[in-house]
Amino acid sequence: MSETSLPLAATRTAVTPRSRAARVSLTALQVVLGLFYAFASALPKLIAHPSATEAFDKLGWGHTGMYIIGALELAGGLALLIPLLDSVAATALSALMVGAFIVNVTVVHGPYVATPLILMLPLGLIAWARRGHTAELLRLVRLRTGRGV
């Protein structure tokens, strides 16, 4: 049987040096983004650092909004590090970045307007590349709830 006549499943399971490098690079990207969201983005909000407090007071969201956004960023950052949740986390953090972009454009008018858009690019890559994890998560949820596959 020639390589071109192999079943599709057989061609997908072949591990090439390029695919291994891509997986390692993607995992490294997930770790970097996960740590960024957990520490650089969520932590200042969760410990009520003066810079975060001032920004959220200026928005009119106060401490409650700051803690909610911080908790969402922490949950998303940690979920990026869990293989079964990484695609869902990247999608959720992308949605959060859409909100951050809108707030930056309409309210803040600050120098970091493009930052949420820049963060959405690697998050979108992770969500797409790890979409199989979302399918596996859905399969597990369906099995757990008794709805079958």
Side-chain angles (χ1 to χ4, degrees):
M1 191 187 278
S2 73
E3 186 177 310
T4 57
S5 64
L6 285 175
L8 185 58
T11 59
R12 285 189 180 173
T13 58
V15 177
T16 64
R18 186 175 184 178
S19 66
R20 177 166 162 53
R23 280 195 326 271
V24 169
S25 298
L26 190 62
T27 301
L29 179 63
Q30 285 177 235
V31 169
V32 168
L33 281 175
L35 293 174
F36 167 78
Y37 275 104
F39 290 104
S41 194
L43 190 62
K45 294 172 183 81
L46 295 175
I47 64 170
H49 189 272
S51 64
T53 305
E54 180 183 331
F56 278 87
D57 285 342
K58 197 183 291 185
L59 288 171
W61 295 2
H63 282 68
T64 303
M66 180 179 66
Y67 290 134
I68 290 171
I69 298 295
L72 291 171
E73 288 176 342
L74 179 62
L78 295 176
L80 276 176
L81 306 176
I82 300 171
L84 199 56
L85 301 175
D86 53 7
S87 180
V88 173
T91 303
L93 285 170
S94 292
L96 194 62
M97 291 301 99
V98 168
F101 175 72
I102 291 169
V103 167
N104 274 307
V105 167
T106 60
V107 179
V108 177
H109 308 293
Y112 304 111
V113 171
T115 302
L117 294 177
I118 292 167
L119 288 169
M120 284 173 53
L121 291 173
L123 289 169
L125 174 66
I126 292 167
W128 180 80
R130 304 290 196 201
R131 65 192 181 278
H133 292 168
T134 302
E136 178 66 15
L137 180 62
L138 285 172
R139 187 186 71 75
L140 290 172
V141 168
R142 287 181 183 144
L143 286 174
R144 188 88 172 186
T145 60
R147 295 186 185 169
V149 179

